[in-house]
Amino acid sequence: MEALPGARVVMIGRQGCHLCEIARGVIEGVVAETGDSFAEVDIDADPRLARYTEEVPVTFVDGRQHDYHRVDEGRLRAALRP
């Protein structure tokens, strides 16, 4: 997935996804502390993302796949370190 302009962390998710809600909370908490940017993409709104449908939520840091299903807070913090 391409990096989104201005977003260091991107999460592919979908409406009604319990794991997405948990992942969003972890990501929002970490980026609030680090000052990094975060964007969310709805997998159901973009057919090009269908390959990730069994893995949502899928997170990317700097355009590279980072995690899927769950977001590990410590691992995300480490990936965002300068």
Side-chain angles (χ1 to χ4, degrees), residues 5-19:
R8 184 139 189 235
V9 180
V10 175
M11 182 182 91
I12 299 174
R14 67 170 27 111
Q15 293 286 342
C17 169
H18 177 69
L19 291 177

Side-chain angles (χ1 to χ4, degrees), residues 48-64:
R48 295 175 298 167
L49 301 176
R51 68 182 178 196
Y52 299 110
T53 198
E54 298 297 322
E55 299 176 345
V56 292
V58 182
T59 55
F60 294 80
V61 174
D62 298 328
R64 298 182 66 190

Side-chain angles (χ1 to χ4, degrees), residues 52 54-59 65-71 75:
Y52 299 110
E54 298 297 322
E55 299 176 345
V56 292
V58 182
T59 55
Q65 187 169 347
H66 177 72
D67 270 324
Y68 63 95
H69 294 272
R70 303 203 187 279
V71 177
R75 190 169 130 73

Side-chain angles (χ1 to χ4, degrees), residues 16-81:
C17 169
H18 177 69
L19 291 177
C20 296
E21 292 173 16
I22 295 169
R24 183 181 309 110
V26 172
I27 295 167
E28 287 175 342
V30 170
V31 298
E33 293 175 16
T34 65
D36 290 296
S37 53
F38 166 57
E40 189 170 345
V41 178
D42 182 353
I43 192 169
D44 297 317
D46 188 342
R48 295 175 298 167
L49 301 176
R51 68 182 178 196
Y52 299 110
T53 198
E54 298 297 322
E55 299 176 345
V56 292
V58 182
T59 55
F60 294 80
V61 174
D62 298 328
R64 298 182 66 190
Q65 187 169 347
H66 177 72
D67 270 324
Y68 63 95
H69 294 272
R70 303 203 187 279
V71 177
D72 181 277
E73 185 175 337
R75 190 169 130 73
L76 180 59
R77 282 181 199 286
L80 293 173
R81 278 192 207 117

